[in-house]
């Protein structure tokens, strides 16, 4: 019997590639940059499976070019790069990798929060550039953390893990928004579910963990930053388009808020000429939240398990559009 053909849109860890190669004929895109859309369409044309990354747009045009496709296994927990209804309409299952990157992502959210609050980027740049002239009694003042209020926007797994770290380690009070109440957060972290406006007004730290969808796109604009405290630190590890970056840059420049730490931007990569990089109170890292060997290996294995299940007609371990 012929083996299913699968296009893998980038090299992912060997643990995932080897698992898939045991069942399928793999065509792995070897470049650092994503395949251009027309190349992606060409490569997937006679495939049963596709391993996509968050940089690969899976839309109706791509699906129409791949009539044999049974499964799209996304190497990410987020799947805003995929037109899920279009997949569902064609009977294509979509898999993602939840759970395995929770801790790594929460670690980056906390790192960004601490670094932005205590001015690590601009004080380190000053030291390196020779602007460290003496011990400064009034210099490089940051924000305190102990006992402050943390606002988690989107109390899913990663929001919870972030809040757990900051509540447990720094005694932060936790407010959150979520579609439904989260009894675990209320019980274990003493957290309180509130409306976004209240969260923004009361929080010293705002950390964004909501997924990107039509209701969250542009959620943070000038009005939202204006509601926040002037001492507030804003952190985003979810997706860039939740934030109006022009409004964020203005808020950081004008002192409407104190600082920001971003793992995600819109677009990605954000070009070095972007105004946010010029602001000393804005720390940007290149979407690294899941970048540890254990996490990327676990993502690769889960991604492979979804793919193999999809091409063999079994239920996906993590499916975003189960039938
Ligand atoms: C995801 O999985 O959605 C992350 O953003 C990538 O690590």
């Amino acid at each position: 019997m012929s083996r299913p053909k699968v296009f893998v849109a980038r090299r992912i860890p060997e643990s995932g590639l080897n698992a898939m190669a045991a069942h399928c004929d793999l065509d792995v895109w070897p470049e650092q940059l994503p395949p251009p859309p027309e190349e992606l369409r060409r490569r997937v044309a006679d495939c049963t499976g596709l391993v996509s990354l968050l940089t690969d747009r899976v839309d109706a045009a791509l699906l129409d070019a791949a009539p044999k496709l049974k499964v799209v296994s996304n190497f990410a927990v987020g799947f805003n790069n995929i037109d899920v209804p279009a997949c569902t309409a064609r009977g294509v299952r979509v898999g993602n990798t939840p759970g395995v990157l929770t801790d790594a992502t929460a670690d980056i959210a906390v790192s960004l929060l601490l670094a932005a609050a205590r001015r690590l980027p601009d004080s380190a740049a000053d030291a390196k550039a020779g602007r460290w002239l003496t011990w400064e009694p009034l210099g490089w003042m940051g924000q305190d953390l102990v006992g402050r209020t943390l606002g988690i926007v989107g109390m899913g797994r990663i929001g919870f893990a972030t809040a757990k770290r900051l509540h447990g380690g720094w005694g932060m009070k936790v407010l959150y928004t979520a579609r439904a109440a989260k009894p675990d957060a209320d019980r274990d972290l003493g957290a309180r579910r509130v409306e976004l406006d209240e969260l923004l007004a009361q929080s010293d730290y705002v950390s964004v963990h909501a997924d990107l969808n039509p209701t969250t796109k542009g959620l943070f604009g000038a009005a939202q930053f204006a509601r926040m405290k002037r001492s507030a630190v804003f952190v985003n590890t979810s997706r860039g388009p939740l934030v109006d970056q022009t409004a964020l840059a203005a808020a950081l420049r004008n002192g409407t808020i104190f600082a920001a730490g971003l793992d995600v931007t819109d677009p990605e990569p954000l070009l070095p000429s972007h105004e946010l990089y010029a602001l000393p109170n804005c720390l940007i890292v290149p979407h690294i939240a899941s970048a540890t060997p254990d996490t990327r290996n676990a993502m690769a294995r889960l991604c492979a398990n979804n793919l193999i299940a999809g091409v063999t007609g079994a239920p996906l371990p993590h499916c975003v559009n189960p039938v």
Side-chain angles (χ1 to χ4, degrees), residues 89-142:
R90 291 160 179 79
V92 175
R93 299 275 76 85
V94 178
N96 70 336
T97 63
V100 294
L101 45 75
T102 300
D103 285 322
T105 305
D107 289 345
I108 285 291
V110 173
S111 304
L112 288 169
L113 186 150
L114 292 174
R118 295 304 310 273
R119 300 185 51 177
L120 299 194
D122 66 310
S123 61
D126 284 348
K128 197 169 181 179
R131 290 186 291 268
W132 178 14
L133 304 180
T134 182
W135 186 83
E136 294 270 1
L138 300 176
W140 297 298
M141 298 283 203

Side-chain angles (χ1 to χ4, degrees), residues 134-243:
T134 182
W135 186 83
E136 294 270 1
L138 300 176
W140 297 298
M141 298 283 203
Q143 300 295 332
D144 286 300
L145 291 112
V146 170
R148 298 302 198 263
T149 298
L150 169 69
I152 296 282
V153 179
M155 185 60 101
R157 291 184 193 85
I158 299 170
F160 184 89
T162 302
K164 189 174 169 193
R165 283 158 171 72
L166 291 165
H167 175 71
W170 284 267
M172 287 196 188
K173 301 178 199 61
V174 180
L175 303 176
Y176 68 95
T177 64
R179 281 186 285 268
K182 303 285 175 171
D184 287 3
D186 303 1
R187 186 189 59 236
D188 300 347
L189 310 177
R192 194 159 62 84
R193 181 170 165 236
V194 295
E195 295 299 321
L196 181 62
D197 280 357
E198 183 181 347
L199 181 147
L200 296 175
Q202 307 236 343
S203 297
D204 300 293
Y205 296 94
V206 174
S207 189
V208 185
H209 303 279
D211 57 352
L212 174 60
N213 61 51
T215 66
T216 59
K217 191 168 188 324
L219 186 62
F220 291 91
Q224 285 66 39
F225 293 120
R227 276 195 189 96
M228 291 167 60
K229 299 182 183 180
R230 292 180 80 80
S231 56
V233 172
F234 177 78
V235 172
N236 187 9
T237 52
S238 61
R239 286 292 184 264
L242 272 82
V243 178

Side-chain angles (χ1 to χ4, degrees), residues 58-82:
V58 178
D59 55 13
L62 177 85
L63 296 167
D64 289 342
K68 297 183 190 159
L69 203 63
K70 286 187 179 169
V71 59
V72 177
S73 180
N74 214 36
F75 184 70
V77 61
F79 49 88
N80 55 289
N81 56 309
I82 300 176

Side-chain angles (χ1 to χ4, degrees), residues 54 76-78 101 239 287 290 299:
L54 52 87
V77 61
L101 45 75
R239 286 292 184 264
H287 205 148
S290 64
M299 289 168 69

